[in-house]
Amino acid sequence: MKTIDINADLGESFGAFKIGNDAAMLPLVTSANVACGFHASDPETLIHTIDLVKQNNVTLGCHPGYRDLEGFGRRDMSLSYKEVYALVKYQIAAVDGLARSVGVKMKYVKPHGALYNKAEVCKKTRQAIVDSIYDYDESLYVMGMSMGQLVKCAEDKGLGTIHEVFLDRAYNDDGTLVSRNSEGAMIKDAREAAARLEEMIEVGSVITITGNKIPIKVDSVCVHGDTEGAVQFLKDVFNELKTKNYQFQSVVN
């Protein structure tokens, strides 16, 4: 029996603006990447989300992003090493502190959006992310793009790593994700998504947007909780996989 860790970006509502359906998603996932207040969320939302994570016995992860509420953290920012180091450590401390107050241990960190992408192409950015995590708590794992530069940097530092693949996104030939603004970027058909995931797990490869096959490593599988219909999409994928003898559990215990 093979295990699959399903992670989702959660706690991304802000004030009166509700994004996603965390209460419905959490029973379906095994790891939760919780927004920290910079790209989304607010103190009340963060506390509520951590409570839901605890109730559902899901592994808690921190999801730090650029300080960009207007752009949902999906716009690139030119920041120094010290600025990235500080903003990541600040967000880690916020999630970890609130989690500890209710008896929950945060286990990993996954950068969000533009920060996640920048870490793959900017050595300064990924080093600042890794150093801030290591200096805060070297027992934390780093979740990043499968076989990417961030996880490699974390491994070089001696941190535990989680190679992440995406259930609902298409891949470029270099292993990066196809831009959301491009046709075919989102995988919306549950049968197609399940077949792709099975190939990633069993074969260690994925078909790119151009039809090429590239190698990939699967530790955790992301589905975006803010995507319209995400809950039903994930349920449909599970239905496709239910005869495949997979067990769903967190990669970090």
Side-chain angles (χ1 to χ4, degrees), residues 81-122:
Y81 170 93
K82 287 184 177 180
E83 288 173 314
V84 174
Y85 179 96
L87 73 85
V88 171
K89 183 178 278 191
Y90 181 96
Q91 292 174 83
I92 292 172
V95 176
D96 186 46
L98 290 173
R100 287 176 183 273
S101 73
V102 293
V104 176
K105 176 69 171 70
M106 187 178 73
K107 298 294 184 69
Y108 67 92
V109 179
K110 172 192 169 181
H112 165 80
L115 183 61
Y116 183 101
N117 294 331
K118 188 66 166 286
E120 293 302 313
V121 298
C122 177

mmCIF file of all heavy atoms in Angstrom, residues 81-122:
data_model
loop_
_atom_site.group_PDB
_atom_site.id
_atom_site.type_symbol
_atom_site.label_atom_id
_atom_site.label_comp_id
_atom_site.label_asym_id
_atom_site.label_seq_id
_atom_site.Cartn_x
_atom_site.Cartn_y
_atom_site.Cartn_z
ATOM 1 N N TYR A 81 18.158 40.115 0.864
ATOM 2 C CA TYR A 81 18.261 38.902 1.685
ATOM 3 C C TYR A 81 17.657 39.159 3.070
ATOM 4 O O TYR A 81 16.856 38.363 3.570
ATOM 5 C CB TYR A 81 19.725 38.490 1.807
ATOM 6 C CG TYR A 81 19.976 37.396 2.829
ATOM 7 C CD1 TYR A 81 20.002 36.063 2.451
ATOM 8 C CD2 TYR A 81 20.180 37.712 4.177
ATOM 9 C CE1 TYR A 81 20.226 35.055 3.393
ATOM 10 C CE2 TYR A 81 20.406 36.725 5.122
ATOM 11 C CZ TYR A 81 20.431 35.402 4.727
ATOM 12 O OH TYR A 81 20.635 34.413 5.661
ATOM 13 N N LYS A 82 18.034 40.272 3.704
ATOM 14 C CA LYS A 82 17.564 40.567 5.056
ATOM 15 C C LYS A 82 16.052 40.741 5.105
ATOM 16 O O LYS A 82 15.397 40.337 6.076
ATOM 17 C CB LYS A 82 18.254 41.827 5.599
ATOM 18 C CG LYS A 82 19.714 41.621 5.967
ATOM 19 C CD LYS A 82 20.296 42.879 6.588
ATOM 20 C CE LYS A 82 21.731 42.680 7.031
ATOM 21 N NZ LYS A 82 22.300 43.903 7.632
ATOM 22 N N GLU A 83 15.488 41.355 4.072
ATOM 23 C CA GLU A 83 14.038 41.563 4.040
ATOM 24 C C GLU A 83 13.294 40.238 3.915
ATOM 25 O O GLU A 83 12.288 40.004 4.608
ATOM 26 C CB GLU A 83 13.678 42.489 2.884
ATOM 27 C CG GLU A 83 14.070 43.944 3.106
ATOM 28 C CD GLU A 83 13.860 44.807 1.883
ATOM 29 O OE1 GLU A 83 14.243 44.392 0.766
ATOM 30 O OE2 GLU A 83 13.319 45.918 2.025
ATOM 31 N N VAL A 84 13.763 39.362 3.034
ATOM 32 C CA VAL A 84 13.113 38.051 2.881
ATOM 33 C C VAL A 84 13.272 37.237 4.156
ATOM 34 O O VAL A 84 12.313 36.608 4.633
ATOM 35 C CB VAL A 84 13.697 37.288 1.670
ATOM 36 C CG1 VAL A 84 13.116 35.878 1.600
ATOM 37 C CG2 VAL A 84 13.421 38.031 0.375
ATOM 38 N N TYR A 85 14.472 37.236 4.718
ATOM 39 C CA TYR A 85 14.739 36.507 5.964
ATOM 40 C C TYR A 85 13.767 36.954 7.060
ATOM 41 O O TYR A 85 13.158 36.123 7.749
ATOM 42 C CB TYR A 85 16.180 36.768 6.390
ATOM 43 C CG TYR A 85 16.608 36.099 7.679
ATOM 44 C CD1 TYR A 85 17.284 34.884 7.665
ATOM 45 C CD2 TYR A 85 16.356 36.691 8.923
ATOM 46 C CE1 TYR A 85 17.688 34.274 8.852
ATOM 47 C CE2 TYR A 85 16.747 36.097 10.111
ATOM 48 C CZ TYR A 85 17.418 34.883 10.068
ATOM 49 O OH TYR A 85 17.803 34.283 11.233
ATOM 50 N N ALA A 86 13.604 38.258 7.206
ATOM 51 C CA ALA A 86 12.757 38.796 8.271
ATOM 52 C C ALA A 86 11.283 38.490 8.046
ATOM 53 O O ALA A 86 10.572 38.102 8.983
ATOM 54 C CB ALA A 86 12.977 40.303 8.392
ATOM 55 N N LEU A 87 10.808 38.670 6.811
ATOM 56 C CA LEU A 87 9.376 38.470 6.574
ATOM 57 C C LEU A 87 8.982 37.000 6.725
ATOM 58 O O LEU A 87 7.887 36.686 7.192
ATOM 59 C CB LEU A 87 8.952 39.033 5.218
ATOM 60 C CG LEU A 87 9.331 38.343 3.908
ATOM 61 C CD1 LEU A 87 8.355 37.246 3.522
ATOM 62 C CD2 LEU A 87 9.392 39.369 2.774
ATOM 63 N N VAL A 88 9.887 36.090 6.363
ATOM 64 C CA VAL A 88 9.587 34.670 6.531
ATOM 65 C C VAL A 88 9.610 34.284 8.005
ATOM 66 O O VAL A 88 8.694 33.615 8.503
ATOM 67 C CB VAL A 88 10.577 33.797 5.725
ATOM 68 C CG1 VAL A 88 10.397 32.314 6.071
ATOM 69 C CG2 VAL A 88 10.365 33.994 4.227
ATOM 70 N N LYS A 89 10.630 34.727 8.729
ATOM 71 C CA LYS A 89 10.717 34.376 10.150
ATOM 72 C C LYS A 89 9.542 34.964 10.935
ATOM 73 O O LYS A 89 8.994 34.314 11.844
ATOM 74 C CB LYS A 89 12.043 34.846 10.742
ATOM 75 C CG LYS A 89 12.217 34.436 12.201
ATOM 76 C CD LYS A 89 13.557 34.869 12.772
ATOM 77 C CE LYS A 89 14.653 33.895 12.388
ATOM 78 N NZ LYS A 89 15.906 34.154 13.145
ATOM 79 N N TYR A 90 9.138 36.175 10.603
ATOM 80 C CA TYR A 90 8.003 36.822 11.264
ATOM 81 C C TYR A 90 6.741 35.975 11.102
ATOM 82 O O TYR A 90 5.991 35.742 12.065
ATOM 83 C CB TYR A 90 7.796 38.203 10.656
ATOM 84 C CG TYR A 90 6.674 39.024 11.251
ATOM 85 C CD1 TYR A 90 6.934 39.968 12.241
ATOM 86 C CD2 TYR A 90 5.357 38.868 10.829
ATOM 87 C CE1 TYR A 90 5.910 40.740 12.789
ATOM 88 C CE2 TYR A 90 4.330 39.621 11.367
ATOM 89 C CZ TYR A 90 4.611 40.552 12.345
ATOM 90 O OH TYR A 90 3.596 41.301 12.879
ATOM 91 N N GLN A 91 6.505 35.506 9.892
ATOM 92 C CA GLN A 91 5.295 34.728 9.619
ATOM 93 C C GLN A 91 5.350 33.342 10.258
ATOM 94 O O GLN A 91 4.335 32.831 10.757
ATOM 95 C CB GLN A 91 5.079 34.622 8.108
ATOM 96 C CG GLN A 91 4.719 35.972 7.488
ATOM 97 C CD GLN A 91 4.648 35.914 5.979
ATOM 98 O OE1 GLN A 91 3.639 35.526 5.394
ATOM 99 N NE2 GLN A 91 5.744 36.305 5.323
ATOM 100 N N ILE A 92 6.523 32.727 10.255
ATOM 101 C CA ILE A 92 6.687 31.444 10.935
ATOM 102 C C ILE A 92 6.344 31.586 12.413
ATOM 103 O O ILE A 92 5.605 30.779 12.989
ATOM 104 C CB ILE A 92 8.136 30.931 10.790
ATOM 105 C CG1 ILE A 92 8.450 30.554 9.349
ATOM 106 C CG2 ILE A 92 8.369 29.719 11.700
ATOM 107 C CD1 ILE A 92 9.922 30.216 9.121
ATOM 108 N N ALA A 93 6.870 32.631 13.027
ATOM 109 C CA ALA A 93 6.643 32.842 14.455
ATOM 110 C C ALA A 93 5.172 33.082 14.767
ATOM 111 O O ALA A 93 4.666 32.623 15.802
ATOM 112 C CB ALA A 93 7.485 34.027 14.945
ATOM 113 N N ALA A 94 4.478 33.783 13.870
ATOM 114 C CA ALA A 94 3.056 34.057 14.091
ATOM 115 C C ALA A 94 2.243 32.767 14.109
ATOM 116 O O ALA A 94 1.432 32.536 15.020
ATOM 117 C CB ALA A 94 2.535 34.995 13.003
ATOM 118 N N VAL A 95 2.453 31.931 13.112
ATOM 119 C CA VAL A 95 1.691 30.673 13.042
ATOM 120 C C VAL A 95 2.093 29.743 14.175
ATOM 121 O O VAL A 95 1.243 29.151 14.851
ATOM 122 C CB VAL A 95 1.903 29.984 11.680
ATOM 123 C CG1 VAL A 95 1.196 28.627 11.649
ATOM 124 C CG2 VAL A 95 1.393 30.860 10.546
ATOM 125 N N ASP A 96 3.389 29.614 14.398
ATOM 126 C CA ASP A 96 3.868 28.696 15.431
ATOM 127 C C ASP A 96 3.407 29.126 16.815
ATOM 128 O O ASP A 96 2.986 28.299 17.634
ATOM 129 C CB ASP A 96 5.391 28.622 15.377
ATOM 130 C CG ASP A 96 5.957 27.574 16.317
ATOM 131 O OD1 ASP A 96 5.426 26.439 16.341
ATOM 132 O OD2 ASP A 96 6.922 27.871 17.041
ATOM 133 N N GLY A 97 3.459 30.428 17.089
ATOM 134 C CA GLY A 97 3.052 30.913 18.406
ATOM 135 C C GLY A 97 1.577 30.648 18.690
ATOM 136 O O GLY A 97 1.217 30.174 19.771
ATOM 137 N N LEU A 98 0.730 30.953 17.717
ATOM 138 C CA LEU A 98 -0.701 30.714 17.906
ATOM 139 C C LEU A 98 -1.002 29.216 17.986
ATOM 140 O O LEU A 98 -1.873 28.788 18.753
ATOM 141 C CB LEU A 98 -1.490 31.347 16.759
ATOM 142 C CG LEU A 98 -1.520 32.874 16.751
ATOM 143 C CD1 LEU A 98 -2.185 33.402 15.487
ATOM 144 C CD2 LEU A 98 -2.250 33.414 17.985
ATOM 145 N N ALA A 99 -0.281 28.423 17.204
ATOM 146 C CA ALA A 99 -0.501 26.977 17.230
ATOM 147 C C ALA A 99 -0.115 26.389 18.590
ATOM 148 O O ALA A 99 -0.853 25.571 19.157
ATOM 149 C CB ALA A 99 0.307 26.314 16.116
ATOM 150 N N ARG A 100 1.022 26.795 19.100
ATOM 151 C CA ARG A 100 1.459 26.288 20.403
ATOM 152 C C ARG A 100 0.472 26.640 21.515
ATOM 153 O O ARG A 100 0.312 25.883 22.479
ATOM 154 C CB ARG A 100 2.844 26.848 20.739
ATOM 155 C CG ARG A 100 3.974 26.241 19.932
ATOM 156 C CD ARG A 100 5.306 26.909 20.253
ATOM 157 N NE ARG A 100 6.385 26.384 19.433
ATOM 158 C CZ ARG A 100 7.118 25.307 19.735
ATOM 159 N NH1 ARG A 100 6.854 24.637 20.858
ATOM 160 N NH2 ARG A 100 8.080 24.898 18.943
ATOM 161 N N SER A 101 -0.202 27.779 21.373
ATOM 162 C CA SER A 101 -1.146 28.210 22.416
ATOM 163 C C SER A 101 -2.344 27.281 22.534
ATOM 164 O O SER A 101 -3.042 27.297 23.556
ATOM 165 C CB SER A 101 -1.619 29.642 22.143
ATOM 166 O OG SER A 101 -2.517 29.688 21.041
ATOM 167 N N VAL A 102 -2.587 26.480 21.482
ATOM 168 C CA VAL A 102 -3.701 25.513 21.523
ATOM 169 C C VAL A 102 -3.193 24.080 21.417
ATOM 170 O O VAL A 102 -3.941 23.152 21.105
ATOM 171 C CB VAL A 102 -4.742 25.798 20.416
ATOM 172 C CG1 VAL A 102 -5.446 27.114 20.672
ATOM 173 C CG2 VAL A 102 -4.105 25.789 19.029
ATOM 174 N N GLY A 103 -1.892 23.899 21.662
ATOM 175 C CA GLY A 103 -1.341 22.551 21.720
ATOM 176 C C GLY A 103 -1.075 21.899 20.381
ATOM 177 O O GLY A 103 -1.066 20.665 20.291
ATOM 178 N N VAL A 104 -0.840 22.690 19.340
ATOM 179 C CA VAL A 104 -0.541 22.151 18.009
ATOM 180 C C VAL A 104 0.896 22.478 17.647
ATOM 181 O O VAL A 104 1.364 23.593 17.869
ATOM 182 C CB VAL A 104 -1.500 22.742 16.946
ATOM 183 C CG1 VAL A 104 -1.112 22.254 15.550
ATOM 184 C CG2 VAL A 104 -2.932 22.363 17.261
ATOM 185 N N LYS A 105 1.609 21.497 17.093
ATOM 186 C CA LYS A 105 2.997 21.703 16.676
ATOM 187 C C LYS A 105 3.046 21.909 15.162
ATOM 188 O O LYS A 105 2.586 21.079 14.388
ATOM 189 C CB LYS A 105 3.839 20.482 17.044
ATOM 190 C CG LYS A 105 5.301 20.551 16.567
ATOM 191 C CD LYS A 105 6.083 21.610 17.307
ATOM 192 C CE LYS A 105 7.589 21.523 16.983
ATOM 193 N NZ LYS A 105 7.913 21.946 15.604
ATOM 194 N N MET A 106 3.588 23.029 14.732
ATOM 195 C CA MET A 106 3.795 23.287 13.316
ATOM 196 C C MET A 106 4.953 22.417 12.835
ATOM 197 O O MET A 106 6.001 22.347 13.484
ATOM 198 C CB MET A 106 4.105 24.763 13.101
ATOM 199 C CG MET A 106 4.183 25.198 11.662
ATOM 200 S SD MET A 106 4.485 26.985 11.544
ATOM 201 C CE MET A 106 6.209 27.066 12.028
ATOM 202 N N LYS A 107 4.815 21.794 11.647
ATOM 203 C CA LYS A 107 5.804 20.820 11.210
ATOM 204 C C LYS A 107 6.629 21.245 9.990
ATOM 205 O O LYS A 107 7.712 20.714 9.779
ATOM 206 C CB LYS A 107 5.094 19.492 10.890
ATOM 207 C CG LYS A 107 4.389 18.841 12.068
ATOM 208 C CD LYS A 107 5.381 18.395 13.131
ATOM 209 C CE LYS A 107 4.697 17.658 14.268
ATOM 210 N NZ LYS A 107 4.173 16.345 13.872
ATOM 211 N N TYR A 108 6.102 22.159 9.177
ATOM 212 C CA TYR A 108 6.835 22.486 7.949
ATOM 213 C C TYR A 108 6.487 23.892 7.471
ATOM 214 O O TYR A 108 5.550 24.522 7.965
ATOM 215 C CB TYR A 108 6.517 21.468 6.848
ATOM 216 C CG TYR A 108 5.088 21.500 6.349
ATOM 217 C CD1 TYR A 108 4.724 22.281 5.249
ATOM 218 C CD2 TYR A 108 4.084 20.758 6.972
ATOM 219 C CE1 TYR A 108 3.422 22.321 4.795
ATOM 220 C CE2 TYR A 108 2.778 20.787 6.528
ATOM 221 C CZ TYR A 108 2.449 21.576 5.426
ATOM 222 O OH TYR A 108 1.146 21.624 4.989
ATOM 223 N N VAL A 109 7.263 24.356 6.497
ATOM 224 C CA VAL A 109 7.054 25.678 5.901
ATOM 225 C C VAL A 109 7.023 25.530 4.382
ATOM 226 O O VAL A 109 7.895 24.886 3.796
ATOM 227 C CB VAL A 109 8.181 26.657 6.288
ATOM 228 C CG1 VAL A 109 7.953 28.018 5.639
ATOM 229 C CG2 VAL A 109 8.277 26.797 7.809
ATOM 230 N N LYS A 110 6.016 26.134 3.764
ATOM 231 C CA LYS A 110 5.907 26.156 2.304
ATOM 232 C C LYS A 110 5.677 27.600 1.856
ATOM 233 O O LYS A 110 4.634 28.181 2.143
ATOM 234 C CB LYS A 110 4.740 25.288 1.824
ATOM 235 C CG LYS A 110 4.471 25.427 0.322
ATOM 236 C CD LYS A 110 3.156 24.791 -0.095
ATOM 237 C CE LYS A 110 2.787 25.181 -1.520
ATOM 238 N NZ LYS A 110 1.495 24.603 -1.958
ATOM 239 N N PRO A 111 6.625 28.203 1.150
ATOM 240 C CA PRO A 111 6.413 29.565 0.653
ATOM 241 C C PRO A 111 5.207 29.633 -0.282
ATOM 242 O O PRO A 111 4.843 28.643 -0.923
ATOM 243 C CB PRO A 111 7.707 29.884 -0.100
ATOM 244 C CG PRO A 111 8.718 28.947 0.476
ATOM 245 C CD PRO A 111 7.959 27.700 0.808
ATOM 246 N N HIS A 112 4.630 30.825 -0.363
ATOM 247 C CA HIS A 112 3.431 31.026 -1.174
ATOM 248 C C HIS A 112 3.725 31.789 -2.468
ATOM 249 O O HIS A 112 4.575 32.687 -2.502
ATOM 250 C CB HIS A 112 2.395 31.826 -0.380
ATOM 251 C CG HIS A 112 1.285 32.386 -1.216
ATOM 252 N ND1 HIS A 112 0.211 31.618 -1.620
ATOM 253 C CD2 HIS A 112 1.095 33.618 -1.754
ATOM 254 C CE1 HIS A 112 -0.593 32.363 -2.352
ATOM 255 N NE2 HIS A 112 -0.084 33.578 -2.450
ATOM 256 N N GLY A 113 2.988 31.439 -3.510
ATOM 257 C CA GLY A 113 2.888 32.245 -4.717
ATOM 258 C C GLY A 113 4.198 32.718 -5.318
ATOM 259 O O GLY A 113 5.082 31.941 -5.669
ATOM 260 N N ALA A 114 4.315 34.048 -5.450
ATOM 261 C CA ALA A 114 5.485 34.638 -6.094
ATOM 262 C C ALA A 114 6.767 34.352 -5.319
ATOM 263 O O ALA A 114 7.839 34.211 -5.915
ATOM 264 C CB ALA A 114 5.291 36.147 -6.249
ATOM 265 N N LEU A 115 6.680 34.248 -3.997
ATOM 266 C CA LEU A 115 7.856 33.920 -3.192
ATOM 267 C C LEU A 115 8.321 32.501 -3.478
ATOM 268 O O LEU A 115 9.525 32.229 -3.573
ATOM 269 C CB LEU A 115 7.549 34.104 -1.707
ATOM 270 C CG LEU A 115 8.700 33.871 -0.730
ATOM 271 C CD1 LEU A 115 9.854 34.841 -0.999
ATOM 272 C CD2 LEU A 115 8.217 33.993 0.716
ATOM 273 N N TYR A 116 7.394 31.595 -3.613
ATOM 274 C CA TYR A 116 7.675 30.187 -3.968
ATOM 275 C C TYR A 116 8.392 30.129 -5.311
ATOM 276 O O TYR A 116 9.412 29.444 -5.461
ATOM 277 C CB TYR A 116 6.342 29.447 -4.014
ATOM 278 C CG TYR A 116 6.378 27.958 -4.281
ATOM 279 C CD1 TYR A 116 6.249 27.047 -3.231
ATOM 280 C CD2 TYR A 116 6.466 27.446 -5.566
ATOM 281 C CE1 TYR A 116 6.228 25.672 -3.463
ATOM 282 C CE2 TYR A 116 6.451 26.081 -5.802
ATOM 283 C CZ TYR A 116 6.329 25.198 -4.751
ATOM 284 O OH TYR A 116 6.306 23.837 -4.992
ATOM 285 N N ASN A 117 7.862 30.877 -6.286
ATOM 286 C CA ASN A 117 8.449 30.867 -7.628
ATOM 287 C C ASN A 117 9.820 31.555 -7.644
ATOM 288 O O ASN A 117 10.744 31.097 -8.323
ATOM 289 C CB ASN A 117 7.510 31.550 -8.618
ATOM 290 C CG ASN A 117 6.216 30.780 -8.816
ATOM 291 O OD1 ASN A 117 6.182 29.556 -8.675
ATOM 292 N ND2 ASN A 117 5.142 31.487 -9.134
ATOM 293 N N LYS A 118 9.944 32.653 -6.896
ATOM 294 C CA LYS A 118 11.201 33.400 -6.874
ATOM 295 C C LYS A 118 12.327 32.546 -6.285
ATOM 296 O O LYS A 118 13.498 32.650 -6.711
ATOM 297 C CB LYS A 118 11.021 34.674 -6.049
ATOM 298 C CG LYS A 118 12.184 35.656 -6.081
ATOM 299 C CD LYS A 118 12.381 36.266 -7.464
ATOM 300 C CE LYS A 118 13.303 37.475 -7.449
ATOM 301 N NZ LYS A 118 12.678 38.686 -6.881
ATOM 302 N N ALA A 119 11.991 31.707 -5.330
ATOM 303 C CA ALA A 119 12.997 30.856 -4.692
ATOM 304 C C ALA A 119 13.651 29.900 -5.683
ATOM 305 O O ALA A 119 14.790 29.462 -5.474
ATOM 306 C CB ALA A 119 12.369 30.074 -3.542
ATOM 307 N N GLU A 120 12.945 29.583 -6.768
ATOM 308 C CA GLU A 120 13.492 28.659 -7.758
ATOM 309 C C GLU A 120 14.496 29.318 -8.689
ATOM 310 O O GLU A 120 15.329 28.641 -9.291
ATOM 311 C CB GLU A 120 12.356 28.028 -8.570
ATOM 312 C CG GLU A 120 11.450 27.112 -7.769
ATOM 313 C CD GLU A 120 12.220 25.977 -7.118
ATOM 314 O OE1 GLU A 120 13.044 25.344 -7.804
ATOM 315 O OE2 GLU A 120 12.015 25.742 -5.905
ATOM 316 N N VAL A 121 14.437 30.622 -8.813
ATOM 317 C CA VAL A 121 15.298 31.318 -9.784
ATOM 318 C C VAL A 121 16.261 32.304 -9.132
ATOM 319 O O VAL A 121 17.127 32.855 -9.816
ATOM 320 C CB VAL A 121 14.443 32.055 -10.842
ATOM 321 C CG1 VAL A 121 13.597 31.071 -11.632
ATOM 322 C CG2 VAL A 121 13.547 33.121 -10.200
ATOM 323 N N CYS A 122 16.135 32.536 -7.831
ATOM 324 C CA CYS A 122 16.957 33.534 -7.143
ATOM 325 C C CYS A 122 17.644 32.895 -5.930
ATOM 326 O O CYS A 122 16.981 32.560 -4.940
ATOM 327 C CB CYS A 122 16.101 34.716 -6.702
ATOM 328 S SG CYS A 122 17.004 35.979 -5.771
#
